[in-house]
């Protein structure tokens, strides 16, 4: 059976490249190629730039209420097409249908709805200066680029395009080569909603296409989601033309369980923060610090719930709640980290091996893995694994755990579980992290800005705050009186 070949999306339609070059896309749950994708060659790239510039001219001149209405139509279409889009995400990423059908499309639609609703409220201000005055306009930036990771492909495309488009910018988006289809479907939805051609374009390919976007002189901003190392390259590329950047990068976040915590609730947080989306979430609380006095109870109940409640298998099966890792390469990387944990002396309590569920043979599954006796300097405690590997560390007092939690180059997220309201705020205020949770882990409503401290990022996504990252201020001074001049 011949497999479909998809094309780039430029100027409101699919566009064939000139070279005919394609890459294969694999379903991580089976290891089988599921479709081919055309690579953006020089022809596509030039068309994308031309189209995004034309799209920007039309879109930025449109009244914000009109832009808002069109974006809200896209929201309705996304929700109507939820199941079809969620299935694409499951096949591309290997994540469970149970998650994708209620989170991925929905959280993307929420972001577009939120920013579409804010669009007409974007305003400047004015102030008197003696008899003169000045006013400011909050203007769009121009053509923005979005470069996405593979763990939440459609959601990332929505989280980047929503504020960009609401503020009147156009966008060229490059999804990860592993998961290229969701962004194309979003582009189709924007066109179906009546958003003008060229406002949202999708170019496909590997890192070189991302690098081309970050260097291009006609692009005013790059919003990037991915690893810290890649982020640094994108920022260096953006520096060549002094582009604005938003960087949503990796983490090695702490999750702290104090002795007075509701232990079952804390275990829920630790499991969500390590095993949801089979551990492929940037904010994961992979360093679980548990107070020495409760660690035995914590571990006992955690193991029981991990053994009894995790269902690994065909991600499309409605009962599956734990899917496959994104690729063979990543699968091996995660297994190598697990081996390093063992070699460096951590105690493997659970998992640690590759799995091959009978209903999803050939997939890149790794068992939910739990280490105890982990120390701060071990590789599994310092480096982002981006897989289902939880490290349990013990601590004795508050100052010690704050110091150890912050002892990392990352600063994406942090969570604490305690019943003591004073301690909760005291500790969280000392966490060097941009996204923090008290007695919760992972909730990310669209109203809440997200982004990293330290090397985990620059700028924010979601929340009203993000409007500032997709607009620029123009100040206009108006002279009402004769100009004083010594000349
Ligand atoms: P990568 O950094 O490998 O890739 C991210 C994107 O950048 C992909 O589209 C990739 O293309 C592209 N790319 C690769 N090289 C370059 C380059 N030189 N210039 C421009 N673009 C380039 O990240 P992953 O896709 O592996 O995603 C996992 C990472 O993303 C983790 O570190 C995770 O923590 C982080 N992440 C952060 C989030 C946040 O909000 N803070 C959310 C989700 C993930 P291609 O894949 O085709 O090579």
């Amino acid at each position: 059976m011949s497999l479909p070949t998809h094309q780039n999306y430029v100027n409101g339609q699919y566009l064939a490249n000139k070279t005919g070059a394609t890459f294969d896309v694999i379903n991580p749950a089976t290891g089988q190629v599921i479709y081919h994708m055309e690579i953006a060659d020089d022809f596509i790239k030039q068309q994308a730039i031309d189209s995004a510039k034309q799209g920007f001219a039309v879109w930025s001149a449109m009244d914000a209420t009109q832009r808002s209405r069109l974006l809200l139509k896209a929201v309705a279409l996304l929700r109507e097409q939820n199941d079809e889009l969620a299935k694409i995400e499951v096949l591309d990423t290997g994540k469970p249908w149970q998650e994708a059908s209620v989170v991925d499309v929905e959280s993307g639609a929420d972001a577009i709805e939120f920013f579409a609703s804010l669009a007409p409220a974007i305003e400047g201000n004015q102030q008197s200066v003696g008899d003169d005055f000045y006013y400011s306009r909050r203007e769009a930036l121009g053509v923005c680029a979005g470069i996405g990771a593979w763990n939440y492909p459609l959601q990332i495309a929505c989280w980047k395009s929503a504020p960009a488009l609401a503020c009147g910018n156009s966008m060229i988006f490059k999804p990860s080569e592993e998961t290229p289809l969701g962004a194309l479907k979003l582009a189709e939805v924007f066109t179906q909603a009546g958003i003008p051609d060229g406002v949202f374009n999708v170019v496909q390919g590997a890192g070189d296409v991302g690098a081309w976007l970050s260097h291009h002189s006609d692009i005013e901003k790059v919003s990037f989601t991915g690893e810290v190392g890649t982020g640094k390259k994108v920022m260096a590329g953006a520096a060549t033309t002094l582009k604005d950047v938003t960087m949503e990068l990796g983490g090695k976040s702490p999750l702290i369980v104090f002795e007075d915590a509701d232990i079952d609730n804390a275990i829920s947080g630790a499991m969500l923060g390590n095993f949801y989306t089979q551990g492929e979430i940037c904010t994961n609380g992979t360093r679980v610090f548990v107070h020495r006095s409760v660690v035995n109870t914590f571990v006992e109940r955690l193991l029981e719930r991990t053994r009894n409640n995790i269902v690994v298998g065909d991600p499309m099966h409605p009962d599956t709640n734990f899917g496959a890792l994104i690729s063979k390469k990543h699968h091996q990387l995660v297994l190598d980290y697990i081996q390093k944990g063992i070699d460096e002396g951590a105690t493997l309590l659970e998992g640690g091996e590759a799995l091959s569920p009978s209903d999803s043979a050939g997939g890149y599954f790794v068992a939910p893995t739990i280490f105890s006796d982990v120390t701060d300097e071990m590789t599994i405690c310092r480096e982002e694994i981006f897989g289902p590997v939880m490290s349990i560390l013990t601590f004795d007092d508050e100052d010690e755990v704050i110091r150890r939690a912050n002892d990392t180059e990352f600063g994406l997220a942090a969570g604490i579980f305690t019943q003591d309201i004073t301690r909760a705020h005291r500790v969280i205020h000392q966490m060097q992290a941009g996204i923090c949770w008290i007695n919760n882990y992972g909730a990310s409503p669209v109203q809440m800005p997200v982004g990293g401290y330290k090397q985990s990022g620059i700028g924010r996504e979601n929340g009203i705050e993000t409007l500032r990252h997709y607009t620029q201020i123009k100040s206009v001074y108006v002279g009402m009186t004769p100009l004083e001049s010594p000349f």
Side-chain angles (χ1 to χ4, degrees):
M1 194 182 74
S2 75
L3 295 169
T5 299
H6 298 284
Q7 298 172 336
N8 295 271
Y9 199 93
V10 177
N11 205 29
Q13 59 192 330
Y14 285 101
L15 185 64
N17 67 11
K18 295 287 184 200
T19 60
T22 62
F23 59 90
D24 293 341
V25 179
I26 290 172
N27 176 350
T30 61
Q32 302 293 314
V33 177
I34 43 174
Y35 58 89
H36 313 291
M37 185 61 69
E38 285 196 1
I39 294 173
D41 56 10
D42 290 346
F43 167 72
I44 294 286
K45 287 175 182 164
Q46 190 55 50
Q47 293 291 313
I49 291 285
D50 293 346
S51 138
K53 284 161 81 171
Q54 284 158 17
F56 173 68
V58 175
W59 187 239
S60 59
M62 207 180 260
D63 186 79
T65 48
Q66 176 66 358
R67 285 204 302 264
S68 174
R69 269 185 222 120
L70 295 175
L71 287 165
L72 290 172
K73 277 190 195 161
V75 171
L77 289 167
L78 281 171
R79 292 195 174 130
E80 269 170 34
Q81 297 172 26
N82 180 76
D83 287 6
E84 182 193 332
L85 297 169
K87 186 174 175 193
I88 286 171
E89 295 300 84
V90 173
L91 297 180
D92 269 9
T93 62
K95 68 172 64 180
W97 165 259
Q98 226 186 63
E99 293 181 15
S101 59
V102 295
V103 172
D104 291 54
V105 188
E106 192 51 45
S107 58
D110 284 353
I112 301 175
E113 189 170 42
F114 177 77
F115 286 107
S117 307
L118 287 175
I122 297 171
E123 59 184 7
N125 60 14
Q126 76 83 32
Q127 201 171 3
S128 298
V129 187
D131 291 333
D132 295 349
F133 70 99
Y134 87 90
Y135 65 94
S136 66
R137 289 165 52 81
R138 194 165 273 282
E139 297 185 347
L141 302 172
V143 179
C144 298
I147 303 176
W150 43 255
N151 60 339
Y152 278 79
L154 179 68
Q155 185 207 66
I156 292 172
C158 291
W159 283 19
K160 294 193 185 309
S161 59
L165 270 49
C167 293
N169 303 285
S170 62
M171 177 164 264
I172 305 177
F173 187 83
K174 189 202 92 67
S176 165
E177 226 185 338
E178 324 264 16
T179 55
L181 200 48
L184 288 175
K185 293 294 164 188
L186 176 63
E188 279 186 41
V189 162
F190 281 144
T191 301
Q192 285 163 16
I195 290 171
D197 296 346
V199 172
F200 185 74
N201 308 275
V202 181
V203 293
Q204 302 284 359
D208 59 309
V209 178
W212 165 77
L213 284 170
S214 29
H215 284 84
H216 204 287
S217 58
D218 287 336
I219 292 175
E220 303 298 334
K221 177 190 174 85
V222 186
S223 175
F224 173 81
T225 297
E227 290 170 14
V228 172
T230 322
K232 288 177 184 173
K233 286 186 205 163
V234 170
M235 214 170 147
T240 59
T241 56
L242 282 180
K243 288 181 190 33
D244 187 49
V245 292
T246 294
M247 292 277 147
E248 292 290 339
L249 309 177
K252 192 74 199 174
S253 302
L255 187 159
I256 304 172
V257 182
F258 284 100
E259 63 275 26
D260 62 349
D262 174 328
I263 295 294
D264 288 318
N265 205 31
I267 292 169
S268 297
M271 290 182 75
L272 283 166
N274 280 274
F275 300 144
Y276 201 71
T277 317
Q278 56 288 330
E280 294 170 325
I281 296 188
C282 52
T283 49
N284 270 355
T286 46
R287 292 183 295 140
V288 181
F289 291 92
V290 186
H291 192 270
R292 196 178 301 281
S293 64
V294 292
V295 73
N296 289 341
T297 316
F298 181 90
V299 166
E300 190 187 321
R301 293 200 221 158
L302 168 69
L303 287 176
E304 189 185 310
R305 284 174 61 177
T306 302
R307 286 170 188 154
N308 295 336
N309 300 348
I310 291 190
V311 182
V312 186
D314 175 5
M316 279 306 292
H317 193 289
D319 292 340
T320 299
N321 58 22
F322 189 96
L325 296 181
I326 188 68
S327 65
K328 193 171 182 177
K329 189 172 156 211
H330 190 57
H331 183 250
Q332 190 55 51
L333 188 86
V334 172
L335 290 172
D336 289 348
Y337 270 117
I338 292 171
Q339 189 56 49
K340 259 188 210 141
I342 296 168
D343 293 346
E344 292 179 13
T347 304
L348 180 64
L349 294 177
E350 178 67 12
E353 75 276 3
L355 295 178
S356 186
S358 57
D359 63 352
S360 204
Y364 312 127
F365 294 87
V366 169
T369 297
I370 302 170
F371 279 109
S372 66
D373 303 319
V374 179
T375 56
D376 296 344
E377 66 286 353
M378 286 182 186
T379 309
I380 55 168
C381 194
R382 302 218 68 81
E383 296 182 14
E384 184 184 43
I385 301 175
F386 222 56
V389 184
M390 185 192 303
S391 291
I392 298 176
L393 304 101
T394 46
F395 71 94
D396 294 298
D397 73 65
E398 191 179 299
D399 288 343
E400 171 209 341
V401 79
I402 291 170
R403 180 182 47 75
R404 291 170 64 197
N406 285 333
D407 180 21
T408 165
E409 69 198 17
F410 298 107
L412 191 57
I416 71 168
F417 283 83
T418 176
Q419 310 267 31
D420 177 342
I421 189 171
T422 316
R423 168 151 67 189
H425 296 288
R426 184 173 63 230
V427 173
I428 220 74
H429 292 178
Q430 294 177 77
M431 289 291 105
Q432 295 164 355
I435 311 167
C436 293
W437 291 284
I438 296 171
N439 295 331
N440 186 295
Y441 207 90
S444 196
V446 66
Q447 302 89 321
M448 185 172 107
V450 290
Y453 278 22
K454 299 200 274 189
Q455 293 199 30
S456 288
I458 295 176
R460 292 294 178 270
E461 289 192 325
N462 292 341
I464 292 178
E465 168 71 16
T466 300
L467 292 177
R468 298 201 308 123
H469 298 294
Y470 283 93
T471 50
Q472 54 194 341
I473 293 281
K474 176 179 283 171
S475 297
V476 182
Y477 188 96
V478 182
M480 301 288 287
T481 50
L483 200 54
E484 277 182 31
S485 167
F487 308 114

